[in-house]
Amino acid sequence: MSTPLKVAVTGAAGQIGYSLLFRIASGALGGDREVELRLLEVTPALKALEGVVMELDDCAFPHLAGVEIGDDPKEVFDGVELALLVGARPRSAGMERKDLLEANGAIFTAQGRALNDAAADNVRIQVTGNPANTNALITAANAPDIPRDRFSALTRLDHNRAIAQLSRKTGVPAHDITRMTIWGNHSATQYPDLFHTLVDGRPATELVDREWIESDFIPTVAKRGTAIIEARGLSSAASAASATIDAARSWLFGTPADDWQSMAVVSDGSYGVPEGLVSSFPVTTGGGSWSIVQDLEIDDFSRSRIDASVAELQEEADAVRSLGLV
Ligand code: NAX
C-alpha cells in the first residue's frame, strides 16, 4: 500500500478552496494514491476552515486519508509533494499596484521559504493566487533549493475558457479541440492563440475568420474573469478550482499524445521570452516534468501580442525586484 499523496492548499477557507478541496478529496487529481490534505489559512479564518473540514469528514470520501489544518506554512508544508498556492491578498479599494505587490510579496516570500525548508524533495508548486505569475516568481526566488522547473502559475483556466469559446463558435465538443495556447501573463494582456489549434483534427483557422478571432475570441477570453464578476458578484471559483485540478493532474500524469496544455513556467528564453520570467507557454507534460513546445510558427500579429503581455510581466518583475522581493 503506497503512502498518501500529501497535497497542500493555501487559502483553503476561500471561495476556490470550497470547490477545490472536495474535488481533490474525491480523487479528481488522478492516480491511485490516497490523498492527505494539508490546509493553510490565516489565523482568523481557521474557525471557518474547521467547518469546511467537518464537511469533508461528512462526505466520507474513500480516497481521503486525512486532513491537517494550520496557520504556520512550515508545519503545513511538511513533506508535501504538491502545493497549490491559492490564497492571496486581493486588491482592495484605494490600494495601489505597489501595495498589492508588496502585500502578496510578504505572503509568497514566507511560503517560498517554508516550502524550501519543509516540502518533499519531489514537490511541485502551482500558484493560482493573483498576480499568479509574479507570485510564482517570488515563491521560486525564495526557495533556492527547489529546482526552477517545479514552479508554475495557473493559466489553465484561460486555456479552458479559450477552448469553451471555440467550442461554442464551431459547435464541436470541447474534448475534440486540441493545441490551444495561452501566452504571457494571467491578466487582461494574455494572448489566447488559436493559430495552432485543431478542431476535430482540422486547423481552427479554417473554421473561424480573422475578424472573430481579433474582435470576439481574444477579448472574450481575456476579459472573462471580469464578465463573471459582473454577472455573479463574485470572482470565478468553481471554474478556477476545476482548472487548478486540470493543470495539476496534467503536470503529475501527463498531457495526452498530440495535445498540450498552457502553463506559466520559468522561461528558458524560448520564443524570445526573457529567461527567468514566469510566462505562459504551450507545454507538454509527462512523468511530473514539462517541456515547452518548440518551433511553432509565430507571425507578426502573434509576436506583437506575446511581446505586449511579456512586457507587462517584465514590469511586474522589475517592480518586485525594486521592492527586494526577488
Ligand atoms: P477568497 O478571498 O475567497 O479566498 C482567499 C483565501 O486566502 C481567504 O480565505 C484568505 O483568508 C486566504 N489567505 C490570505 N492570505 C493567506 C495566507 N498568507 N496564507 C494562507 N491563506 C491566506 O479568494 P478566491 O476567490 O478563493 O481566490 C483566490 C485567489 O485566486 C485570488 O488571488 C484570485 O484573484 C485568484 N484567482 C486566480 C485565477 C487564475 O486563473 N489564476 C482565477 C480565479 C481567481 O481570480
Side-chain angles (χ1 to χ4, degrees), residues 115-126:
L115 286 162
N116 196 62
D117 291 348
D121 287 346
N122 66 348
V123 66
R124 266 113 189 124
I125 297 150
Q126 185 178 288

Side-chain angles (χ1 to χ4, degrees), residues 98-111:
K98 178 173 166 289
D99 302 330
L100 181 75
L101 289 172
E102 232 169 353
N104 279 297
I107 295 172
F108 289 90
T109 48
Q111 293 184 2

Side-chain angles (χ1 to χ4, degrees), residues 1-325:
M1 177 87 187
S2 56
T3 53
L5 177 74
K6 280 192 189 181
V7 181
V9 178
T10 71
Q15 291 202 86
I16 294 176
Y18 198 64
S19 290
L20 183 62
L21 303 180
F22 294 86
R23 299 260 331 262
I24 295 174
S26 65
L29 279 175
D32 48 20
R33 287 168 73 189
E34 291 181 348
V35 166
E36 178 182 327
L37 286 170
R38 319 271 310 188
L39 309 180
L40 184 71
E41 256 300 347
V42 292
T43 316
L46 284 177
K47 178 86 185 148
L49 187 54
E50 282 170 18
V52 177
V53 175
M54 287 184 219
E55 288 204 71
L56 280 166
D57 284 346
D58 294 349
C59 294
F61 286 120
H63 200 74
L64 184 61
V67 186
E68 300 276 336
I69 71 169
D71 57 5
D72 178 347
K74 218 167 147 179
E75 279 176 20
V76 172
F77 293 154
D78 185 34
V80 300
E81 294 174 65
L82 178 66
L84 303 174
L85 307 186
V86 177
R89 177 75 200 275
R91 195 177 200 137
S92 42
M95 201 176 193
E96 296 290 329
R97 186 184 150 84
K98 178 173 166 289
D99 302 330
L100 181 75
L101 289 172
E102 232 169 353
N104 279 297
I107 295 172
F108 289 90
T109 48
Q111 293 184 2
R113 286 180 198 136
L115 286 162
N116 196 62
D117 291 348
D121 287 346
N122 66 348
V123 66
R124 266 113 189 124
I125 297 150
Q126 185 178 288
V127 179
T128 296
N130 280 320
N133 300 53
T134 297
N135 288 340
L137 183 80
I138 296 169
T139 312
N142 287 278
D145 302 331
I146 301 177
R148 306 300 74 188
D149 63 359
R150 305 290 188 74
F151 297 87
S152 75
L154 187 76
T155 50
R156 182 67 180 259
L157 177 56
D158 309 296
H159 176 106
N160 289 349
R161 285 168 171 168
I163 288 176
Q165 290 305 313
L166 188 56
S167 168
R168 275 179 75 127
K169 176 72 178 172
T170 57
V172 173
H175 59 80
D176 287 329
I177 296 178
T178 56
R179 302 189 182 182
M180 183 59 77
T181 305
I182 304 294
W183 299 92
N185 201 0
H186 168 69
S187 76
T189 68
Q190 68 176 263
Y191 171 45
D193 174 3
L194 55 62
F195 289 102
H196 310 284
T197 302
L198 300 177
V199 177
D200 210 3
R202 284 177 66 191
T205 47
E206 287 179 8
L207 302 167
V208 297
D209 61 34
R210 189 93 188 184
E211 165 66 16
W212 181 78
I213 297 172
E214 290 189 36
S215 313
D216 197 328
F217 172 72
I218 294 173
T220 300
V221 174
K223 294 182 194 152
R224 187 69 162 180
T226 308
I228 287 167
I229 292 174
E230 278 165 11
R232 213 171 82 86
L234 289 166
S235 56
S236 331
S239 55
S242 193
T244 296
I245 288 173
D246 288 346
R249 191 180 52 232
S250 294
W251 196 358
L252 296 179
F253 301 109
T255 38
D258 302 325
D259 198 4
W260 61 63
Q261 76 156 335
S262 303
M263 183 169 166
V265 294
V266 179
S267 176
D268 59 358
S270 292
Y271 296 100
V273 179
E275 219 175 313
L277 286 183
V278 177
S279 186
S280 186
F281 290 97
V283 302
T284 54
T285 51
S289 307
W290 52 263
S291 51
I292 295 172
V293 177
Q294 296 296 328
D295 301 326
L296 296 176
E297 206 179 303
I298 306 294
D299 67 8
D300 290 348
F301 174 79
S302 293
R303 187 72 261 164
S304 69
R305 295 281 177 151
I306 295 170
D307 287 350
S309 195
V310 168
E312 182 186 51
L313 283 173
Q314 187 68 64
E315 271 174 38
E316 289 183 16
D318 291 345
V320 294
R321 191 160 295 115
S322 71
L323 291 167
L325 300 169

